[in-house]
Amino acid sequence: MYRTFLAESGEQAIDIVRRQDVHLALMDMHMPRLTGLETMQLVRQIKGSLPMILISADHDENLLRKALSAHVFVSWPSR
């Protein structure tokens, strides 16, 4: 059995990771206030081994490099 938690912002996602037993983080790159990548970098400080997937419609090689250096998997639509 699994539960899904919904966050409307990066800050809410961070609060969820602090309070709940989260096994996977799936985030959009474009969120209010903090980007998905910024949020994931902060989550990494809280729960370093949490698997994370960043979703983006922007096919951006710079974003891919930043995500991989943060140990985040990136998914975007193929061209």
Side-chain angles (χ1 to χ4, degrees):
M1 173 155 26
Y2 62 91
R3 290 184 0 188
T4 303
F5 300 99
L6 177 63
E8 294 181 10
S9 68
E11 290 89 348
Q12 283 184 356
I14 292 166
D15 288 341
I16 290 169
V17 169
R18 284 188 177 127
R19 293 188 331 255
Q20 303 292 333
D21 189 21
V22 176
H23 299 281
L24 172 69
L26 176 65
M27 289 186 216
D28 187 8
M29 178 59 185
H30 302 288
M31 297 192 307
R33 293 181 288 278
L34 295 173
T35 67
L37 184 57
E38 291 169 335
T39 301
M40 290 178 158
Q41 289 169 328
L42 293 169
V43 166
R44 182 72 62 215
Q45 296 173 19
I46 299 164
K47 193 169 183 179
S49 62
L50 179 66
M52 294 187 273
I53 300 171
L54 180 64
I55 298 173
S56 177
D58 301 330
H59 195 96
D60 181 348
E61 294 299 322
N62 187 41
L63 172 59
L64 177 62
R65 279 191 294 281
K66 287 179 182 178
L68 292 176
S69 71
H71 305 285
V72 171
F73 177 79
V74 178
S75 175
W76 56 58
S78 54
R79 292 183 188 190

